[in-house]
Amino acid sequence: MVVHTQTPRLEKLRRGVMELYISDHPLDCLTCAANNDCELQDTAAEVGLRDVRYGYDGANHLGAAIDTSNPYFDFDPSKCIACSRCVRACDEVQGTLALTIDGRGFASMVSAGQTGDDFLSSECVSCGACVQACPTATLQEKAVKEIGKPERAVVTTCAYCGVGCTFRAEMRGEQLVRMVPWKDGKANRGHSCVKGRFAWGYANHRDRILTPMIRESIDQPWREVSWDEALGFTAGRLGAIKAQHGARALGGITSSRCTNEETFLVQKLVRAGFGSNNVDTCARVCHSPTGYGLSKTFGTSAGTQDFDSVMHADVILVIGANPTDGHPVFASRMKRRLRQGAKLIVIDPRRIDLVRSPHIAAAHHLPLQPGTNVAVLTAMAHVIVTEGLADEAFIRERCDWDEYQDWARFVAEERHSPETLEAVTRVPAHDLREAARLYATGGNGAIYYGLGVTEHSQGSSTVMAIANLAMATGNIGRPGVGVNPLRGQNNVQGACDMGSFPHELSGYRHISGSAKPARCSNRTGASRSIPNPACASPTCSTPRSMASFRAIYIQGEDILQSDPNTHHVAAGLKAMDCVIVHDLFLNETANYAHVFLPGSTFLEKDGTFTNAERRIQLVRKVMEPANGYADWEVTQALANAMGLGWNYTHPSEIMDEIARLTPSFAGVSHARLEAEGSLQWPVNEAHPDGSPIMHVDGFVRGKGKFVVTDYVPTDEKTGPRFPLLLTTGRILSQYNVGAQTRRTANTVWHPEDLLEIHPPMPRTGASRMVTGCA
Amino acid sequence: MNAIGGGTASGRPVKAVQVGGPLGAYIPPSQFDLPFDYDAYAAADALIGHGGIVVFDDSADMGAMARFAFQFCAAESCGKCTPCRIGSTRGVKLVDRIRGGGKPRPTRSKRCPRCTTPARPRSRAEDLQLLEDLCETMQLGSLCALGGFTPYPVRSALKHWPEDFER
């Protein structure tokens, strides 16, 4: 068969349809925001439309009111050609199904939600998919209307969550006009959420500090100084403290929002410059249980799958994660798979959106009592083992059989049955049994988890309990299965990979290990004379050990807000002689700082981020740093002020050093990333093109290790002094402590944090549960 | 028509029959010998449709009936495809214009030089050509039979009773 797409008849037909379109379209092309960026305009030109013979005095939509309710884009029905692309984008890509065509015939019109709704009051989550799909200026970014058509674009990686969406930063001169999701991005596949797509205004917010500031003590006002003076002051103080109190009095905290290269430099500065291993990162309070738990059971401190894997899953188990709010772009893909028929199990105290939303319904929702993750997972393991649902062939081949048998005996004990544990977990035993059977027998089973697992006591045990379940059912080592942590921040995986823990160098090499000590001490300067690494994060320090710190360098993290027990953190900071805050904004931690070094945004630097699927992607500078220097340059300048003599001229040189030192990064370079778009570590001789899915032929550690996970009740119990059980959750429009998103129009959706209280909360008796945002 | 049906209700002579529903072609008495089968009707640019027959006496205004076809299509259109959604509404207006003698259009100040040339009055011949072009666009470009069949009554009315379009 021969298909002809261009014939005189077709050309005439196309022109005829275009003539009808234009007979109901405003002829304001020259003043339209989409001028020269309009498919309708292009097509009219292509088909050779020269005349609209119907005239323009017929029925039309030209008087329709513009909906300006969304802070980032307008909806102008007069320009709508009712093509339904926006509706389909909302349905099929985003999966929110907020848009529809209202009315019919000539009155057909795109509408958000119910009649009377505008975009803001509708179910719309402002992901921007409709704006991107719109062929005209009907759905148009306000920024394009205000600034004009972009003239160039730079592909870069989003600096919000751990999904790691890549975007085209579309520029007009030095001004960012809009962020458009990059269709070739392997993490996001052309999709975006409200944060990455629209909430970048913080980069130019008036609150940004652009000049270094110092003060002798925290009760004095800040004094703006030159970079030289600030760095000289800092180096002098650090030197004096080191001389007086020793190297162990100095520490640093790397930032999960900064690049791999910047993070690497901060930990290198601490080890080589400060002379201690007192380095830590935010993962200490979020996903370090993931690192520990998966390293112990599988051999690698990261998730096992790529995001594409979810499209092959038959049963999806979500535990302690709220993907539609926390990882919305990945959630859209998960929802697409669920609409295709995959089954869903949600283990969460809250009825998160995934439990029931348009065309999505969880097969099982296990609303557990907070703090009982291990009990629930062990009960599931009990069902799988005692009902003979374990994949014995897989276990014999891939795991340590003796350890499995120990574990199987343990979970099979009656005290771990769903019926017995129901008293603790409050999950109906029947539901739990059904969920366990579904996961074990429903085909490819994939587990996705978040901070509801790791930000708890017994976090590491829970991660290992998850790994046990996956191994016991053979759900490891191929597409559609696996154990997948949904990492919180854009580069929290990378920050961990780069050696941001006291006991680990880049690539999770233990500092006391035998792995090439010469390389370590030469290149990173890790001081091997320190036998017991301390921990820099105030969270894991007792007030006593915190008091031994005299100086701390904190890059891109507001520990006073984000770490638990604010009073404890404040006391620790207050006791220090030199707190260096390196950040975009004068954050809460800066109240206790002596030095403030202005930071740069992700738009102002080169480097790489590593997302939750171990995908290393380039961050490209799209504008000059407003503060003068990218963060890696500031860290280097501080190192040099301390006499370290660093001379990196570009972050690619730092990555080259990381690759030389880190086996799992051996094949990574900016040149390769430039050529190939992204790489998933490990990238080395064994995996020259990276590793989308891990543990394919065998576990990295050799045999998969079953670990006995005994449930230990949390000591965080309600009582007269603390009558409420609180837990944290995610908010779609806000991110982390809000340093960025609170400085954008996203506040329209979530102006302030609220405690949500379960309506039928009993006044007496059982503990009450309240949730808020983190 | 006369033998079985007993002629028109008014007793006046038959002017046309519409076969197959509101979107069937109008057939003049000169073609009443047409065999009632699919192929013969298709060959005569008509259709059997649901098989119903509506008889019009000589008081029928076939220009108005062409207009009604567009109006019916506009009323029933779901709006999904452009030829039907916009075309049916434009068709009503266009028949009016043809029957009204081709009034010059009012000009609009804002127009895009890339898209259109300035408006000018249309001749009757030009408007009849536009009507044919619209019928072709709707017939070939519509997604379903509503827009796709609307040209049947329009074209047949214009073909057999062109005088009803002159007023």
Side-chain angles (χ1 to χ4, degrees):
Chain A
M1 189 172 70
V2 179
V3 176
H4 297 279
T5 61
Q6 298 293 339
T7 66
R9 202 171 169 213
L10 279 173
E11 282 160 21
K12 188 180 176 202
L13 184 58
R14 290 190 182 115
R15 199 180 304 126
V17 174
M18 186 53 60
E19 191 173 0
L20 289 171
Y21 274 132
I22 303 303
S23 72
D24 182 19
H25 196 80
L27 299 179
D28 59 354
C29 290
L30 288 182
T31 52
C32 177
N35 191 19
N36 268 321
D37 186 19
C38 172
E39 288 181 58
L40 187 68
Q41 194 181 43
D42 293 346
T43 310
E46 265 168 38
V47 303
L49 183 69
R50 298 288 168 260
D51 192 2
V52 176
R53 294 169 291 170
Y54 301 104
Y56 304 101
D57 55 340
N60 61 61
H61 298 85
L62 301 184
I66 301 177
D67 176 355
T68 59
S69 61
N70 187 290
Y72 297 117
F73 61 85
D74 289 345
F75 170 59
D76 181 354
S78 74
K79 291 177 173 170
C80 178
I81 61 170
C83 66
S84 300
R85 275 198 206 169
C86 52
V87 179
R88 291 191 60 189
C90 193
D91 292 356
E92 297 168 29
V93 179
Q94 167 56 30
T96 293
L97 299 100
L99 302 184
T100 189
I101 300 283
D102 198 16
R104 62 182 185 85
F106 194 78
S108 299
M109 185 49 64
V110 170
S111 167
Q114 308 285 318
T115 307
D117 270 337
D118 57 20
F119 266 78
L120 192 62
S121 66
S122 75
E123 295 285 304
C124 167
V125 292
S126 206
C127 70
C130 57
V131 180
Q132 199 184 350
C134 181
T136 70
T138 307
L139 287 158
Q140 182 79 58
E141 296 94 343
K142 283 181 159 75
V144 174
K145 286 186 163 181
E146 284 158 17
I147 301 169
K149 189 187 162 209
E151 55 189 11
R152 64 189 174 91
V154 181
V155 174
T156 192
T157 306
C158 180
Y160 279 115
C161 78
V163 174
C165 299
T166 39
F167 282 88
R168 284 162 49 87
E170 298 194 351
M171 309 290 294
R172 180 162 189 84
E174 289 302 302
Q175 196 172 9
L176 180 58
V177 180
R178 63 178 170 188
M179 298 284 276
V180 181
W182 191 40
K183 291 225 181 332
D184 292 337
K186 292 197 176 93
N188 54 322
R189 302 282 182 195
H191 192 38
S192 59
C193 81
V194 60
K195 296 189 282 286
R197 178 74 154 89
F198 295 118
W200 40 266
Y202 69 89
N204 302 315
H205 197 274
R206 63 178 184 281
D207 285 354
R208 258 190 84 178
I209 306 292
L210 303 175
T211 311
M213 301 189 298
I214 58 173
R215 55 186 173 184
E216 285 295 324
S217 64
I218 59 169
D219 48 15
Q220 290 179 355
W222 284 107
R223 194 157 60 82
E224 289 192 357
V225 296
S226 69
W227 279 99
D228 281 346
E229 187 178 348
L231 293 167
F233 174 85
T234 311
R237 272 219 168 179
L238 291 173
I241 293 166
K242 190 174 175 180
Q244 194 185 341
H245 300 283
R248 296 191 68 168
L250 277 53
I253 293 182
T254 69
S255 174
S256 291
R257 299 185 193 176
C258 289
T259 64
N260 283 317
E261 292 79 358
E262 288 165 340
T263 305
F264 182 82
L265 284 198
V266 171
Q267 66 89 30
K268 180 172 172 172
L269 173 66
V270 171
R271 297 190 209 268
F274 296 0
S276 77
N277 281 311
N278 297 340
V279 63
D280 222 318
T281 187
C282 74
R284 174 68 57 197
V285 290
C286 64
H287 266 288
S288 60
T290 290
Y292 178 78
L294 296 186
S295 172
K296 185 126 174 149
T297 49
F298 299 159
T300 304
S301 299
T304 64
Q305 309 297 111
D306 57 4
F307 287 144
D308 288 348
S309 165
V310 78
M311 296 311 288
H312 303 281
D314 301 312
V315 178
I316 297 171
L317 197 165
V318 175
I319 171 165
N322 186 1
T324 51
D325 280 48
H327 303 82
V329 171
F330 174 68
S332 289
R333 298 195 72 196
M334 183 187 276
K335 284 165 78 173
R336 192 187 309 176
R337 182 62 187 158
L338 292 170
R339 290 197 303 275
Q340 289 174 355
K343 300 280 194 300
L344 175 67
I345 302 165
V346 174
I347 304 179
D348 201 291
R350 290 205 299 165
R351 195 168 55 236
I352 58 173
D353 283 351
L354 272 182
V355 172
R356 190 163 186 84
S357 60
H359 295 271
I360 306 280
H364 302 284
H365 174 216
L366 311 183
L368 77 176
Q369 177 75 358
T372 63
N373 287 330
V374 171
V376 167
L377 292 166
T378 307
M380 285 182 74
H382 175 91
V383 175
I384 289 167
V385 168
T386 56
E387 297 190 6
L389 306 177
D391 185 345
E392 196 179 313
F394 177 91
I395 299 162
R396 281 186 184 278
E397 185 195 335
R398 301 282 300 272
C399 306
D400 188 305
W401 181 251
D402 292 339
E403 282 169 353
Y404 168 72
Q405 285 184 308
D406 291 346
W407 174 79
R409 267 192 299 275
F410 166 78
V411 298
E413 291 170 22
E414 183 49 35
R415 65 190 175 106
H416 294 133
S417 73
E419 289 73 17
T420 309
L421 284 172
E422 187 174 333
V424 172
T425 63
R426 298 198 196 159
V427 175
H430 176 74
D431 286 356
L432 194 146
R433 279 192 182 270
E434 287 295 320
R437 289 168 190 148
L438 176 62
Y439 173 71
T441 63
N444 283 341
I447 303 179
Y448 293 87
Y449 68 91
L451 300 182
V453 162
T454 56
E455 257 181 10
H456 279 267
S457 58
Q458 283 212 290
S460 300
S461 295
T462 312
V463 172
M464 291 188 286
I466 288 170
N468 290 340
L469 276 190
M471 288 189 292
T473 53
N475 279 315
I476 284 287
R478 63 180 187 276
V481 298
V483 174
N484 307 278
L486 294 171
R487 307 295 301 248
Q489 299 197 53
N490 54 323
N491 200 38
V492 66
Q493 179 69 55
C496 298
D497 299 342
M498 289 300 104
S500 297
F501 293 117
H503 63 293
E504 283 172 340
L505 303 175
S506 62
Y508 307 96
R509 294 162 299 142
H510 199 275
I511 57 163
S512 62
S514 55
K516 305 182 178 80
R519 286 171 81 186
C520 301
S521 56
N522 286 347
R523 295 268 167 64
T524 67
S527 174
R528 309 193 69 76
S529 62
I530 302 164
N532 297 311
C535 173
S537 181
T539 310
C540 71
S541 313
T542 62
R544 193 181 300 273
S545 72
M546 185 95 173
S548 70
F549 274 94
R550 313 301 302 187
I552 192 163
Y553 170 35
I554 304 165
Q555 184 177 65
E557 190 183 346
D558 191 0
I559 59 170
L560 194 62
Q561 271 210 75
S562 62
D563 282 7
N565 200 342
T566 306
H567 296 298
H568 168 49
V569 177
L573 289 169
K574 202 170 180 177
M576 293 196 200
D577 300 325
C578 184
V579 173
I580 308 152
V581 167
H582 184 181
D583 209 289
L584 299 176
F585 304 106
L586 211 48
N587 58 25
E588 297 298 315
T589 309
N591 290 336
Y592 296 90
H594 305 83
V595 179
F596 186 92
L597 302 174
S600 54
T601 71
F602 75 112
L603 297 166
E604 300 166 334
K605 56 175 79 157
D606 287 304
T608 56
F609 292 151
T610 307
N611 75 355
E613 43 167 7
R614 295 167 280 104
R615 190 183 298 285
I616 308 158
Q617 304 185 107
L618 282 174
V619 178
R620 292 185 178 87
K621 183 157 92 173
V622 302
M623 58 177 74
E624 288 303 316
N627 56 322
Y629 298 101
D631 294 336
W632 64 272
E633 294 177 292
V634 174
T635 305
Q636 169 160 280
L638 178 57
N640 288 341
M642 297 180 74
L644 293 184
W646 293 356
N647 53 3
Y648 305 104
T649 60
H650 189 270
S652 62
E653 298 167 12
I654 306 169
M655 181 50 82
D656 291 343
E657 180 172 322
I658 295 166
R660 280 197 303 277
L661 290 167
T662 317
S664 52
F665 277 65
V668 180
S669 69
H670 280 211
R672 265 196 85 180
L673 292 169
E674 194 73 59
E676 298 171 40
S678 66
L679 290 165
Q680 286 173 275
W681 69 255
V683 190
N684 49 30
E685 273 180 33
H687 308 278
D689 297 320
S691 314
I693 291 172
M694 299 200 69
H695 318 298
V696 173
D697 299 316
F699 286 102
V700 168
R701 72 182 299 277
K703 291 284 188 186
K705 182 180 180 65
F706 281 88
V707 177
V708 169
T709 54
D710 216 345
Y711 167 64
V712 180
T714 173
D715 54 9
E716 290 162 354
K717 293 193 177 79
T718 53
R721 263 192 83 205
F722 297 104
L724 298 174
L725 192 53
L726 305 178
T727 186
T728 58
R730 294 296 185 107
I731 305 290
L732 170 66
S733 58
Q734 299 287 358
Y735 177 70
N736 208 272
V737 300
Q740 291 141 294
T741 44
R742 275 191 286 109
R743 292 181 171 93
T744 69
N746 276 24
T747 48
V748 73
W749 288 283
H750 188 82
E752 60 184 350
D753 290 341
L754 300 168
L755 286 175
E756 296 175 4
I757 303 178
H758 187 52
M761 190 176 80
R763 292 197 174 276
T764 56
S767 66
R768 291 165 279 188
M769 194 186 77
V770 180
T771 67
C773 88
Chain B
M1 205 68 57
N2 293 321
I4 301 173
T8 62
S10 64
R12 297 174 68 94
V14 173
K15 183 171 183 176
V17 294
Q18 187 179 32
V19 180
L23 301 181
Y26 290 106
I27 295 168
S30 62
Q31 289 186 349
F32 282 2
D33 57 347
L34 205 59
F36 196 69
D37 72 47
Y38 292 105
D39 296 335
Y41 265 61
D45 290 330
L47 48 92
I48 299 286
H50 59 40
I53 296 173
V54 178
V55 182
F56 295 80
D57 69 17
D58 65 353
S59 66
D61 175 350
M62 299 314 288
M65 295 319 293
R67 183 187 194 278
F68 171 74
F70 282 124
Q71 206 178 3
F72 177 81
C73 179
E76 296 296 325
S77 173
C78 81
K80 183 165 180 175
C81 69
T82 307
C84 174
R85 183 180 73 248
I86 304 179
S88 55
T89 297
R90 294 288 173 258
V92 172
K93 191 89 178 169
L94 184 57
V95 172
D96 285 348
R97 204 161 84 192
I98 290 167
R99 283 154 56 87
K103 277 183 293 187
R105 295 174 308 168
T107 55
R108 283 199 348 217
S109 54
K110 284 198 295 183
R111 61 186 60 257
C112 168
R114 277 188 62 174
C115 300
T116 58
T117 53
R120 60 175 177 77
R122 308 286 166 177
S123 70
R124 178 182 164 77
E126 285 174 320
D127 275 348
L128 287 172
Q129 180 60 49
L130 177 57
L131 184 63
E132 174 49 32
D133 289 349
L134 175 60
C135 285
E136 188 179 328
T137 302
M138 290 181 71
Q139 186 184 16
L140 301 177
S142 295
L143 289 177
C144 84
L146 179 71
F149 283 7
T150 299
Y152 280 103
V154 174
R155 277 176 167 149
S156 56
L158 183 62
K159 180 178 172 187
H160 300 297
W161 298 276
E163 66 280 4
D164 282 3
F165 288 77
E166 291 176 27
R167 272 183 208 172

